[in-house]
Amino acid sequence: MAERRINNMEKIRTAVAQDLLSGRIDLLLGWEKGLYWWQSRPLFARNSEDLQRLTWDSFCVANLSGYLQEELKENKKIGILLKGCDSRALNRLVQDQMVDRERVVAYGLPCPGLLDPRLLKQEAGLELTALGIEEGEDRVTLTGTKGKSIAREELLLEKCRRCHHPDPVGCDQLLLPPVGSREDRSRFHQVTRLEEIPAEERFAYWSSQFERCLRCYACREACPCCSCRECFVEQEEPRWLGKAHENSENFIYHLTRAFHSAGRCVECGECQRVCPVELPLMELSSKIIKDINELYGEYQAGLDTEQDPPLLTYQPDDPAAFVE
Amino acid sequence: MPRIGVFICWCGTNIAGTVEIEQVVNAARSFPGVVYAGDYRYLCSEVGQKLIKDTIKKENLERVVVGTCSPRMHEVTFRKAVAEAGLNPYLLEVANLREHCSWVHKDPAEATPKAIALVRAAVSKASLDEPLTALMLDVEKRALVIGGGIAGIQAALDIADSGYTVDLVEKEPSIGGRMAQLEKTFPTLDCAACILTPKMVEVAQHPNINLLTYSEVEAVSGFVGQFDVRIRSRARSIDPSKCTGCGICYEKCPAKVPSEFDMELGKRKVIYVPFPQAVPNIPVIDRENCLYFKRGRCRICEKECPAEAIDFEQQDEIIERRYGVILVATGFDSMDLTGYGEYGYGQHPDVLSALQFERLFNASGPTAGQVVRLSNGRPPQRVVFIQCVGSRDIARGQNYCSKICCMFTSKQAILLKEKLPETEAYIFYIDLRTAGKGYEEFQRRAAEEYGVIYLRGSVGKVFPEGERLLVRGVDSLSGRPLEIEADLVVLAAASVPRRDAPELARLMSINSDRYNFFDEAHPKLRPVETHTAGIFIAGACQAPKDIPEAVAQAGAAAAKAVTLLSKEKLQSEACVAKVDPARCSGCLHCEAVCPYGAIAATETEERVRGELLTRTVAEVNPALCQGCGCCTMTCRSGSVTLQGYTDEQMLAEVDALCLQR
Amino acid sequence: MSTALGKTGEVPVNGASPEKERWTPLIVAFCCNWCSYAGGDLAGTSRMDYPANVKVIRMPCSSRINPLFILRAFQRGADGVLVAGCHPGDCHYTSGNYYVRRNLSLFRRLLEFSGIEPERFQVSWISASEGDKFAGVMQSLTEEIKALGPNGKWRDSRWQSVE
């Protein structure tokens, strides 16, 4: 396993090095190790020295496509490493005319799912600093815990667990062999559960969640669909929303943010992953996706840039979710 | 905060009878920005309007709110009054105190607080009103008529007679349409060609009409006054400036295909004019079937043509032209009866559609005017007509009544009896609908003078028996089953829109009904206009209709078109969408939903870290925008808003209405 | 009557008290100018009767709606919100209501998912000739929301209304 990883790493590095050194791309967006072993952070590689730090492991979670818009202002052509979800985000950005696809070289990395440090910590019962891991094919061994071994599947990030499309789409080249589509096990599991409980309980559930919202807008900043130059929450004219920590305002913020991604959300799960108070934000987008699929036909944003997003088209005999 | 004046109308007792006017006026005085509040018995009267105008000047009002009847009634009136006092007419808001308040709530204790709330909302909105200006648009003094049937011909002639240039576009090689296929017309039994041909010739000779046959509209953009249209004039393969119309080419042409004009009963040559009276009398080569175009050999017509008019190299011509108005008169098709196997249509040569049967009477038709059975060439002894084939058929066809079938079936029965007096004619009908001048009398003549037998009932099956056909049906008056032996069965097929009608509707952004007939703007009051300003409809493309109706509608549509063409300038919509380029991220979702193609990408410049960068943003063309606001629904950042109904104004109205319980 | 409701989520006590009998819901109706607003006008000219607690905001087309208008109405104390437009196929601007149908279907389900009773937000197609439907919709909407009682779920606790 470890050997395979090293081989993979070499494959990736060789491929991108060629393009970077030949001048096909001016910048490579990838990942490098962070301060700790459970962190991999964005890498902005411009030369072969930078490339030595390039990494691809179970913690390369950040969706790098969010940097494209800004970096394209200063670089002519950018190479970018993309997991399945990241590739859909890039396609989404292209469809929203936010990124000129011609100026991007997309390297796809079929993704086996990434590990959730929070779960590692939980399983080990230890601080992460006192812990290490050894990754096998299907299992992960926690070193520092007398060798506790857990199925890899159990340790995946929430967004990876519900991912059903781990292979990148629309990339210029795939750097690793495809992993194939995953069984869609929990994509709408929680949504269905919430749909079934009485309205009052549902309201209580969301109230207790949104009450904790800090309005830090990390969810918005991480979202590849949130491409507005000035978000509605910050506008003064009109003043759509106040800034106070008031529950109705928090409700409106989250529902509107989710609704603004209706038909556009690529399910990268970054909103939920970056939330400092762990709000279950993916449930809002999943709810909308589930309804789109039910009412207007299966649609996965970011898969096909030629297909009309469901809210920008219609059929004369569309069903309605109200008594007409 | 602008200085706002509020005027509450009593509307006699219409409002004042239910709403306590004084309370509303007093409440209005306390609303932010209101510097004047008053009331009057009839604000829409001249004296009432003068009160508004005088007060605007006296109180230096910057915004005006009237509490009156519905804005759909008098908004225009009060805008005019406000403008006469020197204010921009869009600095006016109307609170609907009559239709939406005093007339629907009987209790003053309920109606009065609601009236106050409505005025409060109007004041809130008014305080955010901005002056708006409509554009004055040029009108191209040229009309496009699509469809060269009787409706299109009539409309083109009427517009041309008014002095405007008309381009008449017809898909087929000749104008004339369905009427040209008819032998006689009801209820006068005029020969169709005798009354149509002079009009066709008039079209060809009219100095103001530019006839484009064998041509189709490919693209329409623009808006009322300035429609930009692309027309493809298909290659006839014949040089019209040389062709003398002698007809030698089609005499000599060796290839034959079924004739569309004869409803596929007869054959035509591959180089052809559809019928002898065709206008223009210039043949076309049907390139799909021409031996030379198919196999590269033949060119007999070229050798035979004394005028050397044949041009195999001729290309389609693309005409791009601007029109002030478009008039659509594309007519109808006879419904395809393939789904009616039980009548033996398409299986037995003696089962015909009505339009096919009509061609048998015509001297230049497939049988040279002999009414015979196509199976054996002998005259029929008995003909059974079946009405409502496809019409009024909820299960398989069209729910509607095709309107003309009762009459043309009686007409065909009379023609039959005149030609073959000994032949029996039976007509199966569901109801006989003969509303029209002389129509009822005509049908009675068929029954009483000509002895046509009318049977109320339906036919279940037609099948061959020996040399004849057996028609099995039910007489619904007696309830008895019926079996009639017949030599010919004629089916009155439903009238349906032309097959390409949906495509044309899409090209022009006009509405269609569920059957694809084009929709009029209002079923009663705007019967020849469409929802798209500057586009008019006439004839059977709107719904089945007979010739006099189609002609009347064509005249009406032409009059509407001429009214528009006669204007020097047209005023555009003032309440149009507007993009804030600084806020717009250029995703162009708005462009995708705009029904008028009024939104397009444009470049904007901005300075990023000292460097000038360009980026794409959306831009609204105010001449095209009709002010629906659909774009605003797609804009997440509120970068596009609708003037007159801005986001601020909508929120202000919501806040105001919710302020008071 | 002051309607400061305290903390969001606390619905005022509403048993079968006479207070509740007297209580009328506040309903904001967004109506398109060409069909539904005109239908409202027809209800007026036909002297139909419907509850006065329904207040109409006129828009050129139902597609001028923004979900934030609806959320704002709830936040400011509306107990119910209606969006009304032309019947599908009859939009004055050809296609606005088709987009509305998709948008608001999803939005309505999202609102319901957040815990709002679906009766509180409704969409209806009312043509210019359907004065009776206009009055009927206003009547039944009022009754449905009356049965639910005041909406406290979304109310901004700082917002005060006047009588």
Side-chain angles (χ1 to χ4, degrees):
Chain A
M1 187 65 200
E3 205 171 302
R4 175 137 56 118
R5 189 164 302 122
I6 291 164
N7 281 342
N8 281 348
M9 202 54 249
E10 272 323 298
K11 256 199 240 169
I12 297 169
R13 194 173 286 125
T14 317
V16 299
Q18 225 168 31
D19 287 348
L20 189 62
L21 301 180
S22 74
R24 185 181 176 211
I25 55 174
D26 308 317
L27 170 75
L28 176 83
L29 294 177
W31 302 272
E32 63 178 329
K33 284 316 291 179
L35 220 45
Y36 299 102
W37 60 265
W38 65 88
Q39 292 174 341
S40 298
R41 67 188 180 200
L43 167 72
F44 297 73
R46 291 171 204 283
N47 49 45
S48 54
E49 204 175 306
D50 293 344
L51 276 186
Q52 289 314 306
R53 304 202 301 277
L54 185 68
T55 197
W56 167 239
D57 66 7
S58 293
F59 301 99
C60 292
V61 64
N63 178 354
L64 302 169
S65 60
Y67 295 104
L68 281 174
Q69 244 184 305
E70 206 48 39
E71 291 300 325
L72 277 173
K73 286 179 186 161
E74 291 179 1
N75 295 281
K76 280 199 195 69
K77 198 143 183 180
I78 297 178
I80 185 169
L81 293 176
L82 299 166
K83 307 185 291 289
C85 51
D86 305 344
S87 73
R88 298 195 301 274
L90 171 63
N91 292 339
R92 184 61 251 168
L93 285 166
V94 170
Q95 220 173 347
D96 280 350
Q97 336 259 343
M98 295 299 122
V99 168
D100 180 358
R101 185 65 182 78
E102 299 287 301
R103 292 172 60 200
V104 176
V105 178
Y107 308 99
L109 294 173
C111 171
L114 304 184
L115 299 180
D116 186 347
R118 289 167 185 165
L119 291 176
L120 290 171
K121 182 179 161 188
Q122 213 173 67
E123 288 293 336
L126 286 173
E127 283 304 314
L128 288 167
T129 41
L131 200 65
I133 56 165
E134 276 168 20
E135 291 186 63
E137 187 71 34
D138 296 320
R139 300 190 73 79
V140 176
T141 310
L142 305 177
T143 55
T145 58
K146 295 176 191 162
K148 185 173 180 183
S149 158
I150 302 161
R152 194 164 192 281
E153 194 67 27
E154 305 290 310
L155 294 169
L156 292 183
L157 283 164
E158 174 65 28
K159 68 179 205 172
C160 298
R161 261 189 258 196
R162 57 173 76 187
C163 173
H164 57 292
H165 226 289
D167 284 323
V169 278
C171 288
D172 297 292
Q173 68 188 100
L174 282 191
L175 299 185
L176 299 174
V179 297
S181 63
R182 280 167 53 97
E183 200 186 334
D184 176 6
R185 279 184 307 181
S186 56
R187 195 171 171 209
F188 300 127
H189 183 76
Q190 178 72 350
V191 171
T192 315
R193 197 190 65 79
L194 282 168
E195 281 172 347
E196 281 162 1
I197 63 175
E200 292 307 312
E201 276 178 50
R202 211 160 43 230
F203 182 75
Y205 169 78
W206 285 115
S207 285
S208 67
Q209 297 293 348
F210 293 149
E211 238 163 36
R212 300 185 291 116
C213 174
L214 308 172
R215 297 285 286 279
C216 70
Y217 304 132
C219 45
R220 179 189 76 191
E221 296 304 317
C223 176
C225 287
C226 285
S227 46
C228 291
R229 292 164 62 82
E230 194 183 356
C231 179
F232 75 99
V233 289
E234 268 131 16
Q235 293 179 12
E236 294 295 331
E237 281 178 3
R239 184 80 174 269
W240 297 102
L241 205 54
K243 293 188 169 65
H245 185 84
E246 210 278 342
N247 214 15
S248 73
E249 309 258 50
N250 291 0
F251 257 96
I252 291 179
Y253 166 65
H254 283 291
L255 288 205
T256 306
R257 197 194 72 77
F259 199 68
H260 280 176
S261 72
R264 305 167 63 244
C265 172
V266 296
E267 295 171 272
C268 72
E270 284 293 88
C271 50
Q272 180 158 335
R273 185 186 67 84
V274 299
C275 179
V277 294
E278 299 180 36
L279 297 183
L281 296 175
M282 277 190 91
E283 307 316 339
L284 293 175
S285 354
S286 295
K287 164 66 180 163
I288 299 173
I289 291 166
K290 181 168 176 278
D291 286 340
I292 288 175
N293 289 350
E294 278 175 20
L295 291 168
Y296 307 117
E298 288 279 333
Y299 181 81
Q300 164 83 63
L303 275 195
D304 177 4
T305 49
E306 295 303 306
Q307 202 185 346
D308 284 331
L311 287 187
L312 297 185
T313 184
Y314 64 85
Q315 294 296 325
D317 54 352
D318 273 338
F322 41 79
V323 187
E324 295 178 85
Chain B
M1 181 66 81
R3 295 171 62 83
I4 305 173
V6 177
F7 301 84
I8 306 297
C9 180
W10 295 29
C11 196
T13 57
N14 280 306
I15 295 174
T18 323
V19 171
E20 304 285 356
I21 301 287
E22 204 185 322
Q23 278 187 42
V24 180
V25 171
N26 284 336
R29 282 202 184 99
S30 71
F31 298 158
V34 174
V35 295
Y36 169 89
D39 56 285
Y40 190 71
R41 227 170 258 276
Y42 290 106
L43 265 187
C44 63
S45 69
E46 271 195 37
V47 189
Q49 292 186 51
K50 186 165 183 300
L51 169 74
I52 296 175
K53 288 187 256 185
D54 291 347
T55 315
I56 290 173
K57 287 175 189 147
K58 195 169 140 222
E59 301 283 343
N60 260 332
L61 298 182
E62 294 166 300
R63 303 286 186 275
V64 171
V65 170
V66 293
T68 55
C69 55
S70 171
R72 291 173 54 87
M73 185 75 77
H74 272 313
E75 189 173 52
V76 177
T77 314
F78 292 117
R79 275 189 180 156
K80 234 173 105 194
V82 164
E84 280 165 13
L87 269 188
N88 180 287
Y90 295 90
L91 300 178
L92 167 98
E93 291 298 330
V94 182
N96 186 342
L97 303 190
R98 194 177 74 177
E99 283 84 345
H100 282 210
C101 189
S102 67
W103 273 354
V104 283
H105 313 310
K106 310 286 182 274
D107 181 0
E110 283 192 341
T112 305
K114 176 164 172 180
I116 292 171
L118 293 178
V119 172
R120 188 200 304 273
V123 168
S124 288
K125 187 178 179 212
S127 68
L128 295 164
D129 275 341
E130 293 287 339
L132 301 177
T133 324
L135 299 176
M136 297 309 284
L137 306 170
D138 289 332
V139 181
E140 184 70 32
K141 308 283 183 188
R142 188 178 189 117
L144 172 66
V145 174
I146 306 174
I150 182 60
I153 288 172
Q154 185 64 49
L157 287 172
D158 285 355
I159 298 172
D161 282 344
S162 309
Y164 298 100
T165 307
V166 183
D167 286 2
L168 175 59
V169 171
E170 166 60 50
K171 194 167 61 174
E172 300 297 330
S174 167
I175 55 170
R178 291 289 174 210
M179 187 176 170
Q181 292 178 283
L182 304 183
E183 168 65 11
K184 296 259 164 73
T185 55
F186 60 78
T188 47
L189 294 181
D190 285 308
C191 142
C194 309
I195 53 178
L196 178 63
T197 313
K199 280 198 182 283
M200 289 164 60
V201 173
E202 201 185 336
V203 164
Q205 294 174 344
H206 203 296
N208 286 344
I209 297 181
N210 176 34
L211 183 56
L212 298 165
T213 50
Y214 213 42
S215 303
E216 281 180 79
V217 171
E218 281 195 335
V220 179
S221 62
F223 43 88
V224 55
Q226 299 172 38
F227 290 108
D228 290 314
V229 181
R230 190 172 76 232
I231 299 163
R232 177 180 294 269
S233 200
R234 289 163 62 199
R236 292 182 101 94
S237 313
I238 284 161
D239 183 342
S241 65
K242 292 183 184 162
C243 175
T244 59
C246 69
I248 290 175
C249 54
Y250 47 86
E251 263 173 44
K252 303 289 180 185
C253 174
K256 280 184 181 177
V257 289
S259 156
E260 298 87 355
F261 191 78
D262 283 335
M263 303 310 287
E264 319 246 309
L265 289 186
K267 301 255 184 192
R268 64 157 167 86
K269 295 294 180 62
V270 161
I271 182 165
Y272 71 108
V273 291
F275 55 101
Q277 305 88 339
V279 170
N281 184 24
I282 300 169
V284 296
I285 293 180
D286 162 8
R287 290 188 174 186
E288 253 174 54
N289 294 304
C290 170
L291 297 177
Y292 172 66
F293 280 99
K294 259 165 60 179
R295 299 192 205 132
R297 314 181 50 165
C298 182
R299 300 180 81 132
I300 289 177
C301 50
E302 191 184 35
K303 287 182 208 104
E304 300 288 342
C305 176
E308 297 185 346
I310 309 288
D311 178 2
F312 291 109
E313 308 303 319
Q314 206 176 60
Q315 300 290 314
D316 289 1
E317 191 189 347
I318 302 294
I319 300 161
E320 286 183 332
R321 210 167 265 159
R322 178 166 282 190
Y323 300 96
V325 295
I326 300 176
L327 198 149
V328 189
T330 48
F332 70 103
D333 275 331
S334 176
M335 187 184 174
D336 175 15
L337 296 178
T338 332
Y340 287 81
E342 72 269 33
Y343 296 151
Y345 183 81
Q347 298 150 30
H348 198 287
D350 294 334
V351 181
L352 300 177
S353 75
L355 210 43
Q356 287 176 322
F357 187 58
E358 185 90 17
R359 294 305 302 153
L360 298 190
F361 289 100
N362 194 277
S364 57
T367 56
Q370 301 300 308
V371 177
V372 291
R373 304 178 62 185
L374 294 181
S375 59
N376 57 14
R378 289 205 293 270
Q381 285 166 5
R382 187 182 289 149
V383 178
V384 170
F385 295 87
I386 305 172
Q387 291 194 179
C388 292
V389 181
S391 310
R392 307 177 73 193
D393 182 345
I394 294 167
R396 286 183 301 179
Q398 321 293 329
N399 295 4
Y400 56 86
C401 165
S402 289
K403 200 173 182 179
I404 53 176
C405 324
C406 288
M407 291 306 296
F408 74 58
T409 304
S410 289
K411 175 196 78 180
Q412 291 186 337
I414 289 179
L415 294 181
L416 175 72
K417 291 294 239 181
E418 287 203 331
K419 202 141 216 166
L420 305 168
E422 300 306 314
T423 303
E424 294 174 330
Y426 285 81
I427 298 178
F428 276 93
Y429 68 96
I430 302 178
D431 296 294
L432 279 176
R433 296 180 170 177
T434 58
K437 191 169 176 176
Y439 288 10
E440 174 70 11
E441 298 92 317
F442 183 75
Q443 185 270 322
R444 292 188 79 97
R445 259 174 69 205
E448 291 163 9
E449 280 179 37
Y450 290 90
V452 176
I453 298 161
Y454 285 83
L455 293 167
R456 192 176 197 278
S458 57
V459 173
K461 204 167 168 56
V462 176
F463 52 91
E465 186 156 285
E467 287 214 333
R468 306 188 87 185
L469 291 159
L470 193 64
V471 178
R472 187 173 283 163
V474 181
D475 178 341
S476 67
L477 292 178
S478 66
R480 274 202 306 260
L482 277 175
E483 271 191 5
I484 301 172
E485 279 192 9
D487 301 305
L488 262 179
V489 171
V490 180
L491 309 176
S495 297
V496 296
R498 292 279 184 183
R499 199 174 307 125
D500 51 5
E503 174 62 16
L504 196 59
R506 199 189 53 74
L507 279 184
M508 293 188 297
S509 294
I510 62 174
N511 291 5
S512 305
D513 67 13
R514 52 196 286 206
Y515 310 107
N516 296 323
F517 286 116
F518 300 138
D519 258 345
E520 60 282 5
H522 190 283
K524 293 175 182 61
L525 303 177
R526 298 171 67 196
V528 296
E529 295 159 85
T530 65
H531 277 300
T532 306
I535 300 186
F536 306 94
I537 46 176
C541 63
Q542 181 253 356
K545 53 178 62 71
D546 58 24
I547 294 166
E549 265 191 295
V551 169
Q553 212 184 15
K560 289 279 178 193
V562 166
T563 307
L564 249 169
L565 289 175
S566 68
K567 290 189 177 162
E568 273 313 308
K569 296 269 181 186
L570 290 173
Q571 190 172 334
S572 75
E573 173 65 50
C575 294
V576 293
K578 194 177 176 184
V579 175
D580 175 356
R583 207 176 260 178
C584 175
S585 67
C587 76
L588 297 173
H589 287 199
C590 48
E591 184 189 18
V593 302
C594 176
Y596 303 101
I599 300 183
T602 184
E603 299 286 317
T604 184
E605 287 189 335
E606 65 181 4
R607 205 161 273 283
V608 179
R609 288 178 222 109
E611 236 185 295
L612 207 55
L613 293 180
T614 58
R615 62 185 186 89
T616 303
V617 293
E619 188 180 43
V620 176
N621 179 344
L624 285 175
C625 177
Q626 298 295 312
C628 61
C630 195
C631 50
T632 65
M633 188 171 64
T634 65
C635 187
R636 306 173 296 284
S637 59
S639 309
V640 55
T641 195
L642 184 62
Q643 299 178 96
Y645 299 87
T646 64
D647 292 330
E648 285 97 326
Q649 289 182 306
M650 300 300 289
L651 289 174
E653 276 194 272
V654 170
D655 287 355
L657 285 186
C658 291
L659 191 62
Q660 177 189 335
R661 289 206 62 91
Chain C
M1 183 176 81
S2 164
T3 55
L5 283 173
K7 213 173 150 197
T8 312
E10 283 173 23
V11 180
V13 185
N14 51 82
S17 63
E19 181 77 13
K20 190 190 172 188
E21 286 300 302
R22 274 198 309 277
W23 177 78
T24 53
L26 172 64
I27 295 171
V28 176
F30 296 91
C31 292
C32 89
N33 177 57
W34 304 98
C35 287
S36 307
Y37 193 92
D41 281 357
L42 181 60
T45 42
S46 319
R47 306 298 200 277
M48 287 165 180
D49 203 355
Y50 60 86
N53 48 284
V54 183
K55 284 152 196 156
V56 171
I57 293 178
R58 178 176 171 232
M59 305 190 294
C61 176
S62 53
S63 67
R64 177 63 190 97
I65 195 68
N66 181 327
L68 278 162
F69 301 159
I70 300 162
L71 294 171
R72 171 73 75 106
F74 282 126
Q75 197 188 17
R76 296 291 197 249
D79 301 294
V81 174
L82 173 77
V83 175
C86 308
H87 286 270
D90 293 348
C91 175
H92 180 75
Y93 306 99
T94 357
S95 51
N97 53 1
Y98 286 130
Y99 294 108
V100 170
R101 181 164 59 187
R102 284 197 168 199
N103 252 278
L104 294 188
S105 288
L106 295 175
F107 185 68
R108 185 162 192 258
R109 287 199 170 181
L110 183 64
L111 270 188
E112 187 180 359
F113 188 66
S114 77
I116 290 260
E117 300 89 340
E119 294 83 358
R120 292 199 190 274
F121 172 57
Q122 305 205 21
V123 183
S124 196
W125 310 130
I126 303 172
S127 81
S129 58
E130 293 176 324
D132 50 346
K133 183 170 181 187
F134 184 93
V137 165
M138 300 309 168
Q139 186 73 45
S140 62
L141 192 58
T142 303
E143 278 160 20
E144 280 175 43
I145 291 169
K146 222 170 172 176
L148 288 175
N151 179 38
K153 285 179 181 164
W154 280 80
R155 199 157 302 181
D156 187 330
S157 53
R158 300 158 300 176
W159 183 256
Q160 302 281 320
S161 54
V162 297
E163 196 168 342

